Amino acid sequence: MSDLSHAGSLFVIVAPSGAGKTSLVRALLERQPRLVLSVSFTTRAPRPGERDGVDYFFVTPEQFEAHRAAGAFFEWAQVHGNGYATSRAWIEEQVRAGHDIVLEIDWQGAVQVFQVFRDAVGIFIAPPSLAALEERLTRRGQDSPAVIAQRVSAARVEMREAGRFQHVIINQDFASALGQLDAIVEAARTRYAQQRARDPEFFASLGVGSTQD
Ligand code: 5GP
């Protein structure tokens, strides 16, 4: 799929594990019910409470590889030793429907998305510090100390990729981070290309022809 100009916006939200991305995105979806969230494929095991088809599509490494080889993935990456990917068919369907899409993925996947969708809105969520990140991961209680140590050192590396993103939200305070995320979504919708694709008759009535007029 090429760089489609469409009525919807494609938001790519990236953050080191424990930066608070999942809670922020959940709250954003409550505020913005028209956003649709992609459910990724992963080879990692479900965490307690995670449901197949809701949080992720949980697949074996063999199934993942078969999908990948068949070109079923819009983007994919290995993160913390597991495969993660976004469905190509799902993205194409949502773009065609003009929906606003949210991808909650890692930075390597984001780079692949930006190559195809040059107007994708990249948002990087940073923790206020690495110490705060470690504390959050510990409090979450989902990972072993060894995994937490691995994720903190991965975060150090991931933070270096923040410059690839149009927006950086520092998640010091949940409410203000959510407000910033919400503002980015609202502003993205007023972009010329999106407005024009959403309501071509309005622009035609003003005598506006091509997207560059
Ligand atoms: P977790 O295992 O903690 O749910 O996710 C680990 C990392 O994988 C996170 O940075 C998350 O954003 C990323 N991730 C989740 N789904 C995808 C995906 O479809 N593609 C890519 N590239 N990364 C993903």
Side-chain angles (χ1 to χ4, degrees), residues 93-203:
E93 190 185 308
Q94 299 303 320
V95 166
R96 239 177 270 123
H99 292 161
D100 288 335
I101 305 166
V102 176
L103 301 185
E104 229 191 293
I105 60 178
D106 91 308
W107 71 268
Q108 305 168 87
V111 170
Q112 297 166 49
V113 174
F114 297 153
Q115 280 165 1
V116 180
F117 281 90
R118 259 160 246 128
D119 66 351
V121 181
I123 307 165
F124 190 95
I125 297 174
S129 67
L130 289 173
L133 184 78
E134 185 170 2
E135 195 197 309
R136 269 191 209 156
L137 287 170
T138 306
R139 215 175 331 121
R140 187 162 83 176
Q142 284 179 334
D143 298 301
S144 68
V147 169
I148 290 173
Q150 185 199 342
R151 293 200 165 204
V152 171
S153 72
R156 211 184 280 277
V157 176
E158 286 157 12
M159 297 286 290
R160 292 191 203 127
E161 308 299 334
R164 297 175 183 271
F165 295 78
Q166 272 174 294
H167 302 275
V168 177
I169 294 175
I170 301 165
N171 188 13
Q172 172 93 52
D173 170 69
F174 185 84
S176 64
L178 177 59
Q180 290 172 353
L181 197 51
D182 196 38
I184 292 167
V185 169
E186 285 296 329
R189 287 181 172 146
T190 66
R191 289 179 297 171
Y192 181 84
Q194 274 65 32
Q195 291 282 44
R196 192 164 180 281
R198 196 175 293 125
D199 195 354
E201 289 80 19
F202 170 75
F203 287 88

Side-chain angles (χ1 to χ4, degrees), residues 13-17 21-22 38-42 44 47 50 56 75-80 82 84-87 104-110 112 140 151 158:
I13 307 184
V14 169
S17 173
K21 179 177 61 170
T22 306
S38 169
V39 178
S40 299
F41 288 81
T42 185
R44 85 151 160 74
R47 296 194 181 115
E50 282 185 334
Y56 281 105
E75 63 72 33
W76 69 277
Q78 290 283 336
V79 186
H80 310 310
N82 291 302
Y84 291 87
T86 303
S87 159
E104 229 191 293
I105 60 178
D106 91 308
W107 71 268
Q108 305 168 87
Q112 297 166 49
R140 187 162 83 176
R151 293 200 165 204
E158 286 157 12

